[in-house]
Amino acid sequence: MFAKPFRVKSNTVLKGSDRRKLKADLSAAFPSVSADELSELVPNKEEINVVKIYAHKGEAVTLYVLHKNPIFFEVEKRLYPTVYVLWRHPSLLPVFRTWAPVLQKLIGGADLMLPGVVMPSCGLPDVKQGSCCAVLIVNNRAPVAVGKAAASSAEMQSSGMKGRGVCVLHTYMDYLWAFGDKSNPPSLPDEDDEIEDTNGEKCKELNLTETEEDKVESNEKGEENQDEQKTPQEEMDALLLQCFLHALKSKIKKSELPLLTSTFLRNHMFTCCPSGKQLDIKKSSYKKLSKFLQVMQQQHNLIRVKELTKGVESIVEVDWKNQQLRSFSIPEEAGVEETAVLSGEGETPYHPPEITTLYSVSARLEPLFLDANKRKGTTMLPADVRSIITEYVKKNELVDENNKNYVTINPTLCDCLLEKSEYQEIESLKWDDLFSRTLGRMQECYQVVFPGQAATVKKGHIEPIDISVASRGSNKKVTLIKNLEVYGLDPAVVATALQHRVQASAVLQILPGAKDRVLVQIQGNQVHQVGNLLLDHYQIPRKYIQGLDKAPKGGKKK
């Protein structure tokens, strides 16, 4: 339930009457709790906050917070203790034991499967289906998860210990835990020195043995069906986190910071996306990159994001010692190039995007493309448009019998391609005129494909990289470069490269009226050097660069 960020609706102080009601509800929910323990859990003179939240799936949850730690959470009028409470009162709930490696699965949102349950010598705890219970790791009585029994103890035994055991609601290291002081579980020696696995064999609770590995593998197999039930949004959240950790661990070096967040996404996270998958933040629960990075900063403590320029955020710090980052394993399909970056040898090379001009079917021209099943908004290459129009003409026998260079205008072509003033005047068109009129009445678009990313299609013409020269003061000139982001170039990296080339100062400025766009300003007329950098180093085609003619005449070179 708390494996993903939640949204806080309100935060108020618990009133006296509500405090008494909370105590009564806790006493009813946990009859084994003594009066003294109840007074310790809900002290009379300590301030308790009531925080109402919405979990990532929209569930309404009420949190009770004491000393900045959530102590209980209420879902559908039922109270559950958090791990913070269970570490002080480990006997509050019946417990199921499992092996340490299974914990990571539970933190990721998985339920505890029965093949992963370790049976103590005294047998399973006596629970009914839906009973509140806890999960702990062998060798330590400090619970690491809270949930509901998926079946009764008798049903678990009769099933041969197969299927789901505990429907996990909350775990150590999840977002509810992160809402508190983020302390770690205490070390509480387990009362059972000896445990029995589900096959009835005895084993000591020492290091991870082959038996434990088998149990972990069994739990993972039991989770496969559960993973298939993940929603597309949950899968995208998991992919987003994977690409984020992968990029931090293998792509980014300390010397590259600060790094624009948009550049981090475009040039690093996208390139870490596994083959066959597409990273799309809009399909995740975060919807926006800024929200995702905020969670990575506030709840995971992985990075620090700062607004260095008004309206433009940058990653200014990475916690390389963070346990979550250190324990992340780079997928096996990561190439040699990534390994080189990880070892500090070289940097990720820039590859210019593939840019293709497309044409979109307009409402007026839709009748021309119906036979080809191309509806309004469908985009095509110019060659495909030509092919479809040619097929239409031949199918309707519109080629002029006397001169095959001409096409006879039928009512459909008339409505689609001619102006009203031409209806009575034009009876046929040359093939080239027919094609040019068709393209002219379609919406021009362009498709951009960056390496390792899904293609994006936008209306209109792609903006060229614009180079201009402006005067500052009486006799000073500066070179301005904008629209670098359109081509996947980091303005900060370009500015640094130019500084080294021309030994002049360069600054970044927010581009008015353009979201997430930055303008590079460098002293002097440096158009020639900017052109060389873009054309030779970054391999940007000349047709996508505007303003190369503004170079000083004396500085032109071949």
Side-chain angles (χ1 to χ4, degrees), residues 476-496:
K476 292 183 179 179
K477 293 186 181 298
V478 292
T479 303
L480 309 174
I481 312 134
K482 61 183 180 180
N483 300 333
L484 292 166
E485 299 92 340
V486 176
Y487 298 82
L489 289 169
D490 185 345
V493 173
V494 173
T496 301

Side-chain angles (χ1 to χ4, degrees), residues 313-366:
E313 291 186 334
S314 297
I315 296 174
V316 296
E317 187 178 325
V318 176
D319 183 4
W320 308 105
K321 296 181 180 180
N322 183 283
Q323 185 59 39
Q324 187 178 8
L325 183 59
R326 293 180 65 180
S327 62
F328 176 77
S329 298
I330 296 175
E332 293 181 0
E333 64 179 40
V336 178
E337 179 182 306
E338 295 183 11
T339 306
V341 174
L342 182 60
S343 61
E345 300 171 6
E347 297 181 358
T348 306
Y350 169 81
H351 297 286
E354 293 182 11
I355 304 168
T356 308
T357 300
L358 300 174
Y359 289 87
S360 172
V361 177
S362 61
R364 180 177 177 180
L365 266 62
E366 192 173 25

Side-chain angles (χ1 to χ4, degrees), residues 96 114 124-125 127 149-162 164-166:
F96 290 84
L114 288 174
L124 290 175
V127 297
S152 67
S153 305
E155 289 170 335
M156 292 180 188
Q157 294 275 25
S158 63
S159 70
M161 296 301 287
K162 294 180 180 179
R164 187 175 276 101
V166 178

Side-chain angles (χ1 to χ4, degrees), residues 359-363 366 374-380 445 459:
Y359 289 87
S360 172
V361 177
S362 61
E366 192 173 25
K374 305 294 184 183
R375 302 290 178 178
K376 178 186 174 182
T378 304
T379 55
M380 291 173 283
C445 311
K459 294 180 180 180

Side-chain angles (χ1 to χ4, degrees), residues 76-342:
E76 296 178 349
K77 298 183 179 180
R78 184 172 181 182
L79 286 164
Y80 299 88
T82 67
V83 291
Y84 291 112
V85 164
L86 293 177
W87 292 342
R88 289 186 288 140
H89 302 274
S91 302
L92 186 62
L93 299 177
V95 297
F96 290 84
R97 291 170 172 79
T98 190
W99 305 110
V102 175
L103 175 58
Q104 201 60 38
K105 294 285 183 180
L106 303 183
I107 293 172
D111 290 334
L112 178 65
M113 310 306 288
L114 288 174
V117 171
V118 178
M119 193 174 306
S121 56
C122 59
L124 290 175
D126 185 17
V127 297
K128 297 178 181 179
Q129 183 178 6
S131 294
C132 185
C133 52
V135 179
L136 56 80
I137 304 301
V138 292
N139 266 341
N140 192 350
R141 289 177 56 234
V144 292
V146 179
K148 298 184 294 184
S152 67
S153 305
E155 289 170 335
M156 292 180 188
Q157 294 275 25
S158 63
S159 70
M161 296 301 287
K162 294 180 180 179
R164 187 175 276 101
V166 178
C167 299
V168 176
L169 298 175
H170 157 54
T171 69
Y172 161 63
M173 291 286 287
D174 68 5
Y175 285 91
L176 180 56
W177 167 85
F179 197 67
D181 61 16
K182 301 181 183 178
S183 54
N184 294 319
S187 180
L188 304 176
D190 202 339
E191 294 173 351
D192 289 320
D193 292 332
E194 213 171 43
I195 56 175
E196 185 176 0
D197 68 11
T198 51
N199 293 321
E201 298 174 348
K202 299 270 184 163
C203 60
K204 288 288 182 181
E205 296 183 24
L206 299 174
N207 297 323
L208 183 61
T209 64
E210 183 178 355
T211 306
E212 292 175 340
E213 292 173 347
D214 291 342
K215 293 299 179 185
V216 175
E217 183 178 355
S218 297
N219 197 71
E220 290 176 344
K221 288 180 179 178
E223 291 166 6
E224 288 179 0
N225 290 334
Q226 181 185 350
D227 289 341
E228 292 174 3
Q229 298 173 2
K230 281 187 177 180
T231 65
Q233 188 180 77
E234 290 173 334
E235 291 176 352
M236 187 57 66
D237 283 354
L239 180 61
L240 193 61
L241 179 60
Q242 175 187 320
C243 294
F244 173 78
L245 293 173
H246 188 171
L248 285 185
K249 193 160 187 176
S250 70
K251 299 284 187 180
I252 305 301
K253 293 187 292 186
K254 190 173 182 179
S255 59
E256 295 176 345
L257 301 178
L259 178 68
L260 288 174
T261 56
S262 57
T263 301
F264 175 68
L265 172 68
R266 184 170 53 243
N267 291 357
H268 301 299
M269 284 182 64
F270 276 130
T271 59
C272 291
C273 187
S275 58
K277 294 186 178 182
Q278 293 183 0
L279 193 62
D280 189 343
I281 290 184
K282 291 183 179 179
K283 293 181 180 178
S284 72
S285 62
Y286 305 99
K287 305 303 180 185
K288 294 181 180 180
L289 176 63
S290 58
K291 186 176 179 181
F292 170 73
L293 294 179
Q294 184 182 21
V295 170
M296 294 301 104
Q297 173 177 273
Q298 296 179 353
Q299 301 188 20
H300 290 252
N301 295 319
L302 282 160
I303 57 172
R304 189 162 67 89
V305 177
K306 191 173 181 181
E307 194 176 274
L308 297 179
T309 307
K310 188 176 180 181
V312 181
E313 291 186 334
S314 297
I315 296 174
V316 296
E317 187 178 325
V318 176
D319 183 4
W320 308 105
K321 296 181 180 180
N322 183 283
Q323 185 59 39
Q324 187 178 8
L325 183 59
R326 293 180 65 180
S327 62
F328 176 77
S329 298
I330 296 175
E332 293 181 0
E333 64 179 40
V336 178
E337 179 182 306
E338 295 183 11
T339 306
V341 174
L342 182 60

Side-chain angles (χ1 to χ4, degrees), residues 302-546:
L302 282 160
I303 57 172
R304 189 162 67 89
V305 177
K306 191 173 181 181
E307 194 176 274
L308 297 179
T309 307
K310 188 176 180 181
V312 181
E313 291 186 334
S314 297
I315 296 174
V316 296
E317 187 178 325
V318 176
D319 183 4
W320 308 105
K321 296 181 180 180
N322 183 283
Q323 185 59 39
Q324 187 178 8
L325 183 59
R326 293 180 65 180
S327 62
F328 176 77
S329 298
I330 296 175
E332 293 181 0
E333 64 179 40
V336 178
E337 179 182 306
E338 295 183 11
T339 306
V341 174
L342 182 60
S343 61
E345 300 171 6
E347 297 181 358
T348 306
Y350 169 81
H351 297 286
E354 293 182 11
I355 304 168
T356 308
T357 300
L358 300 174
Y359 289 87
S360 172
V361 177
S362 61
R364 180 177 177 180
L365 266 62
E366 192 173 25
L368 266 180
F369 294 90
L370 285 178
D371 290 344
N373 292 319
K374 305 294 184 183
R375 302 290 178 178
K376 178 186 174 182
T378 304
T379 55
M380 291 173 283
L381 292 166
D384 295 332
V385 175
R386 193 181 187 97
S387 176
I388 291 172
I389 296 301
T390 301
E391 183 63 28
Y392 175 86
V393 169
K394 290 181 178 179
K395 182 179 179 180
N396 290 276
E397 299 179 349
L398 299 177
V399 179
D400 194 313
E401 295 181 356
N402 299 320
N403 188 343
K404 297 189 182 296
N405 291 326
Y406 283 84
V407 174
T408 302
I409 301 299
N410 68 353
T412 300
L413 290 175
C414 179
D415 291 340
C416 292
L417 303 181
L418 299 185
E419 302 293 339
K420 288 185 179 180
S421 60
E422 298 174 323
Y423 284 178
Q424 304 301 323
E425 299 176 3
I426 298 178
E427 296 181 354
S428 62
L429 290 172
K430 283 187 175 182
W431 279 102
D432 288 344
D433 194 9
L434 181 74
F435 294 136
S436 63
R437 282 176 179 251
T438 302
L439 293 176
R441 284 162 174 76
M442 297 179 75
Q443 170 69 60
E444 187 171 343
C445 311
Y446 64 92
Q447 174 182 279
V448 180
V449 182
F450 288 97
Q453 300 181 31
T456 58
V457 177
K458 297 184 179 181
K459 294 180 180 180
H461 301 272
I462 188 169
E463 294 177 279
I465 295 176
D466 184 78
I467 307 171
S468 59
V469 178
S471 297
R472 295 287 187 269
S474 59
N475 196 29
K476 292 183 179 179
K477 293 186 181 298
V478 292
T479 303
L480 309 174
I481 312 134
K482 61 183 180 180
N483 300 333
L484 292 166
E485 299 92 340
V486 176
Y487 298 82
L489 289 169
D490 185 345
V493 173
V494 173
T496 301
L498 287 171
Q499 277 183 307
H500 292 158
R501 286 190 174 214
V502 303
Q503 297 298 304
S505 65
V507 295
L508 301 180
Q509 297 180 352
I510 190 71
L511 196 59
K515 188 179 180 181
D516 295 332
R517 295 281 186 89
V518 175
L519 177 118
V520 176
Q521 175 181 301
I522 188 163
Q523 284 186 345
N525 186 330
Q526 310 295 352
V527 174
H528 178 66
Q529 291 291 351
V530 174
N532 284 346
L533 183 67
L534 296 175
L535 293 168
D536 301 335
H537 182 71
Y538 292 120
Q539 299 293 306
I540 302 293
R542 184 177 290 269
K543 63 181 178 180
Y544 297 124
I545 304 174
Q546 177 179 288

